[in-house]
Amino acid sequence: MNNTMIEDILCRLRHEMNAEGINAIIFPTSDPHGSEYVAGHWQTRRYVSGFTGSAGTAVITQNEAALWTDSRYFLQAERELCGTEYQLMKEGLEDTPSITEWLLRKMSVAGGTCVAVDGMVMPYDKVTEMQQELSRIGVTMRTNYDAMRMIWPDRPSLPASEIYPVTNNGITDTPTKLQRIRKAMHEHLAEAYVVTDLMSIAWTLNLRGNDIPMTPVFVSFLYITADEAILFCNGTLTNEAQKAMQGKGVTVRRYNEFLPYIKQQDVRTLCDSQTTSYTIYQNIKHAVNVPSPILEMKAVKDEGETEGFRQSMLLDGVAMVKWLRWLKPAVEAGGQTEISVSDKLEQLRREAKEFRDLSFSTISGYNEHGAIVHYTASPESNAMLKPEGLLLVDSGAQYTCGTTDITRTIALGPVTDEMRHAYTYVLKAHIALSTTPFPEGTNGTQLDSVARSVMWRGGLHYMHGTGHGVGWRLCVHEGPQGIRQNWCPTPLRPGMTVTNEPGVYIEGKFGVRTENMMMVSQCTMHNAQCTMLKLSPLTLCPIDTAPLDLSQMTAEERQWLNDYHAHVREALMPLLTDDADKQWLERATQNI
C-alpha cells in the first residue's frame, strides 16, 4: 500500500469521524477473540496505516496519526511508515507515552470530547481502564462504532473454512476436557462459561479449521453449561467433524447468533475480562471474572500431543538438514536471494505428506536485514545472498502431528570478529538456559535472566522475550507460559512447551538468533531438596559451528553442543535416504 493510498484513507476516515463527532479513533491489532494473528476481515490497523507487523495499535485524531508497536518491529515500522504522517511510538522505551497518555495530551490541547473504538475487538479491562483515565478531562469513549463499514469498500468477508476433527492417538477426548472445564466452573459457582479464544475452542472440541493463515483455527464462540456446549461458528463442520461431535453434548449454531443469545441468559457466567471483548463482557448479565482455566490445561501437553511434537520435529529436522546442505553451495553458485532460499525451505517441508502449512511467515534476513527482528522480505527489499556474512532464518511448519518453530543463523562464508563475538554469546546464552535446572514453581520471568545475564557479560542485550509457548497444531505463540523480562506469573510445569531464543541485533549490520523448542520435564538430581525441573530440547537440527569463537566457550558448553549434536545425528540419520545428506549431517554434528 503506497503513501498516497494511506493519506486518502485517513482523509476519508476523518470525514466520517467529523460527521460522527469523534475526535480520535483507536485501531488495535485484534478481533473479537483476542487473537494474535487475525483474519483479513479484522486487519483494520493494517488497512489504515500500511504497517504489516503482527502487533501494533494505530491512533488517529483529526490532525495527527501515531502507531505503537514493540521492539520486534521498530525497524520494520520505520520503513513501512516512512513518508506517511504516522509517528512511530516505540513501546517499552522510557520516553514513549502510552496510548492513553498521548490521547490525554492531544485531547487537552484540542478540546476533544470523544474517543472511539470498536468494542468487539478490544478487551473489557483495557477499555474500562482507558475510560477511567480519559474521564478525568471529560472525554468519553464510544464503543459501538466500526468505521470500516464506511471507508473499507472491499473489506474481506468473515472467514468460513471447513471445520475438521483431530484424531491423533493419545489425545484427550472432548468429554474429558469438558468435564475438567465444568469442574473449574463449579469451583467458581458458575453455571455457564463464555469462551472466546479460538485456540481454546479448537483445543476443547478437538477441531481445527483454516480461517486464519498458518494458524489452524476457526472463527467461533463456545458457550458451556453443566450439560451442554454450544458452538457458534461461521464455517461448516465436515461429515467427520459432525460424527466426532455426536454424543458429546455439543450443538452447533451460527456465529452471528452468539451475541443475541448471551444477552438472553440470566445465569452466573465465567469469563475473563482481560481477554473477553468489551461488547461481549457488557452483554453478560452476571459475569464471574476469572482468568481462563482452559489456558493452563491446554499449555500442559498430554501424551498424544507430546508424541506428536516429537514426530513433527523429526519431519522438520529432515527438511532442515536437506536445506542446510543445499544452502551454502547454492549461495556460492550465485543467484540466491532471501526469498529464494526461504521458498526452497518451504518446498522441502512440503515433501512430507504430513505437512499442512507454515506456522508463520518465514523470516529470512541477510546481514543488516537480520537485525530487523520480524523482518519479512519483499520484492523491493529482497537481498541477494553472497558467500559471506550471516543469514538469519526463523521458520516453522504446521504438520498433522504438531507445530514447529526454529531459528538458525548461518555463516554463508567469512564473518567479522563482531559477528563471531555476537554469535558465540547467543549460543552461550542458549546453552545456559538449556542446562539450568530450576525448582518446581519457577516462572518464566525468574528464568529469563539465566540467558540474558550471559549476554550482558558479553556486552550484549536484546529487547524481545527469551521464549514463548507453542500450541499443538494451534498458534505458534501460546500462553500463559513464557520466558521474558516483564512479569509472567505462570509457573513452568512438566509438559509445557517453550522456546529458547536469545538474540543480538546490530542495526545496519546483522542479527543473530538461535532457537530450539523445549519441553519442560522433571530433572533427576542427587540429594535435591525439592522437585527440580529442566528444559529438554525438542528441536532436531544442527547448530552452525563455523561462526563460533571457541576460545570464548567453556568445556561444559562445548560438551553440551557435542551432546546435542550427537542426539540430532542419532535421531535424523535413519530418516535420511540421500547419502549426501547423511555425509553432510555427519560433518555438521562432529565434535568440537
Side-chain angles (χ1 to χ4, degrees):
M1 190 179 294
N2 61 46
N3 296 343
T4 302
M5 293 175 64
I6 295 299
E7 294 308 312
D8 175 65
I9 289 169
L10 290 176
C11 181
R12 289 187 285 118
L13 175 61
R14 284 167 174 150
H15 176 77
E16 294 297 329
M17 290 167 59
N18 187 58
E20 293 285 334
I22 292 169
N23 305 105
I25 188 165
I26 303 169
F27 293 99
T29 305
S30 189
D31 60 13
H33 311 280
S35 305
E36 177 183 9
Y37 301 110
V38 300
H41 179 79
W42 288 291
Q43 289 182 8
T44 56
R45 183 268 300 157
R46 179 172 180 170
Y47 179 74
V48 299
S49 70
F51 171 59
T52 62
S54 67
T57 301
V59 183
I60 295 102
T61 71
Q62 286 291 350
N63 303 306
E64 296 182 67
L67 184 132
W68 281 256
T69 192
D70 61 60
S71 64
R72 296 172 299 168
Y73 297 105
F74 287 171
L75 297 180
Q76 178 182 340
E78 285 176 350
R79 185 180 72 247
E80 293 183 342
L81 298 177
C82 182
T84 73
E85 65 175 274
Y86 275 93
Q87 178 184 0
L88 175 59
M89 298 293 185
K90 298 181 178 181
E91 292 177 340
L93 300 188
E94 189 174 351
D95 59 350
T96 301
S98 68
I99 292 172
T100 307
E101 289 169 342
W102 189 82
L103 281 170
L104 284 169
R105 189 183 311 156
K106 301 302 177 183
M107 302 291 270
S108 296
V109 173
T113 60
C114 181
V115 173
V117 65
D118 181 358
M120 278 297 290
V121 300
M122 186 175 279
Y124 177 83
D125 278 3
K126 186 167 289 187
V127 172
T128 54
E129 180 183 348
M130 293 186 75
Q131 284 176 328
Q132 291 171 3
E133 289 295 309
L134 291 171
S135 67
R136 291 187 301 154
I137 61 170
V139 175
T140 59
M141 285 194 73
R142 180 174 171 181
T143 59
N144 64 346
Y145 183 60
D146 181 4
M148 294 298 101
R149 292 178 181 176
M150 303 300 294
I151 71 163
W152 196 354
D154 55 349
R155 183 178 188 176
S157 58
L158 286 174
S161 66
E162 281 193 334
I163 301 169
Y164 57 91
V166 290
T167 56
N168 302 56
N169 292 333
I171 301 301
T172 305
D173 61 28
T174 293
T176 300
K177 291 177 179 179
L178 287 171
Q179 183 179 24
R180 293 174 62 193
I181 293 167
R182 287 169 174 140
K183 181 181 178 182
M185 291 164 51
H186 180 73
E187 290 172 354
H188 293 284
L189 305 178
E191 301 166 81
Y193 180 15
V194 166
V195 189
T196 62
D197 171 56
L198 301 184
M199 290 196 292
S200 295
I201 296 169
W203 176 85
T204 299
L205 301 179
N206 288 334
L207 297 174
R208 299 293 188 270
N210 297 295
D211 282 351
I212 297 177
M214 296 173 279
T215 303
V217 295
F218 48 96
V219 168
S220 58
F221 299 102
L222 185 62
Y223 186 82
I224 302 172
T225 66
D227 53 12
E228 185 181 27
I230 307 174
L231 175 65
F232 297 83
C233 59
N234 206 47
T236 303
L237 274 69
T238 64
N239 291 335
E240 293 77 12
Q242 293 179 38
K243 291 177 183 177
M245 292 298 99
Q246 289 178 359
K248 294 180 172 60
V250 179
T251 57
V252 180
R253 300 180 64 163
R254 299 309 301 162
Y255 182 79
N256 58 11
E257 296 177 22
F258 172 72
L259 205 55
Y261 181 85
I262 62 167
K263 289 179 180 179
Q264 299 171 359
Q265 308 310 306
D266 193 17
V267 296
R268 286 174 56 84
T269 304
L270 203 69
C271 58
D272 184 352
S273 64
Q274 291 187 337
T275 58
T276 304
S277 86
Y278 178 84
T279 301
I280 292 172
Y281 195 92
Q282 282 285 82
N283 281 284
I284 297 173
K285 292 181 180 177
H286 307 289
V288 181
N289 180 23
V290 296
S292 168
I294 297 178
L295 295 183
E296 286 203 41
M297 297 179 193
K298 176 168 60 67
V300 178
K301 306 302 182 280
D302 61 25
E303 179 182 342
E305 292 166 333
T306 300
E307 179 57 28
F309 270 123
R310 298 193 188 284
Q311 291 300 316
S312 66
M313 297 302 159
L314 291 169
L315 296 170
D316 220 48
V318 167
M320 287 296 297
V321 164
K322 291 179 178 180
W323 180 73
L324 287 168
R325 179 179 76 82
W326 166 87
L327 178 63
K328 291 184 184 180
V331 171
E332 290 169 359
Q336 297 299 328
T337 68
E338 292 169 329
I339 292 178
S340 71
V341 298
S342 172
D343 289 346
K344 178 67 174 181
L345 178 53
E346 181 177 346
Q347 173 199 325
L348 291 169
R349 282 188 164 117
R350 287 183 178 277
E351 291 180 359
K353 67 180 186 298
E354 297 89 348
F355 178 89
R356 289 296 175 267
D357 200 352
L358 300 179
S359 55
F360 57 97
S361 297
T362 299
I363 298 166
S364 176
Y366 178 55
N367 282 348
E368 64 269 22
H369 287 166
I372 304 173
V373 181
H374 272 208
Y375 170 74
T376 301
S378 67
E380 294 76 27
S381 69
N382 188 24
M384 186 69 66
L385 305 186
K386 302 176 183 179
E388 62 184 29
L390 296 174
L391 174 68
L392 187 157
V393 177
D394 187 351
S395 65
Q398 297 282 4
Y399 298 97
T400 57
C401 47
T403 304
T404 68
D405 183 4
I406 175 175
T407 307
R408 289 294 184 265
T409 306
I410 307 103
L412 297 180
V415 297
T416 66
D417 289 343
E418 185 181 22
M419 290 175 173
R420 195 174 296 279
H421 174 77
Y423 184 93
T424 303
Y425 268 86
V426 166
L427 181 58
K428 286 166 69 70
H430 180 96
I431 294 171
L433 188 56
S434 299
T435 56
T436 299
F438 52 93
E440 188 176 37
T442 300
N443 66 41
T445 303
Q446 293 166 320
L447 269 187
D448 183 82
S449 62
V450 171
R452 208 172 291 272
S453 63
V454 176
M455 302 292 291
W456 294 338
R457 287 196 291 273
L460 303 167
H461 181 55
Y462 56 98
M463 294 182 65
H464 61 69
T466 301
H468 58 82
V470 179
W472 180 79
R473 295 189 65 179
L474 289 168
C475 185
V476 74
H477 296 145
E478 177 182 76
Q481 77 277 25
I483 302 176
R484 56 179 183 262
Q485 283 185 301
N486 54 311
W487 183 237
C488 184
T490 302
L492 296 176
R493 297 168 55 193
M496 285 183 171
T497 55
V498 68
T499 61
N500 175 358
E501 49 180 313
V504 168
Y505 311 95
I506 311 299
E507 185 175 350
K509 293 184 178 181
F510 64 89
V512 176
R513 186 161 65 250
T514 298
E515 175 189 18
N516 279 351
M517 280 178 56
M518 318 289 284
M519 178 72 75
V520 182
S521 58
Q522 288 204 354
C523 177
T524 302
M525 296 183 67
H526 183 62
N527 292 333
Q529 294 180 325
C530 60
T531 300
M532 300 296 290
L533 305 176
K534 63 179 179 179
L535 299 179
S536 302
L538 289 168
T539 300
L540 297 167
C541 178
I543 295 169
D544 193 3
T545 59
L548 284 172
D549 179 356
L550 295 180
S551 68
Q552 295 292 325
M553 296 186 68
T554 67
E556 291 78 11
E557 290 166 342
R558 295 187 193 196
Q559 188 60 53
W560 179 90
L561 185 56
N562 290 338
D563 291 344
Y564 174 71
H565 276 161
H567 172 59
V568 170
R569 185 171 59 246
E570 181 180 354
L572 296 183
M573 194 68 78
L575 304 177
L576 298 173
T577 56
D578 189 320
D579 286 343
D581 290 334
K582 293 180 179 181
Q583 292 167 8
W584 182 91
L585 179 60
E586 188 72 41
R587 293 193 302 272
T589 58
Q590 64 187 355
N591 285 355
I592 58 171

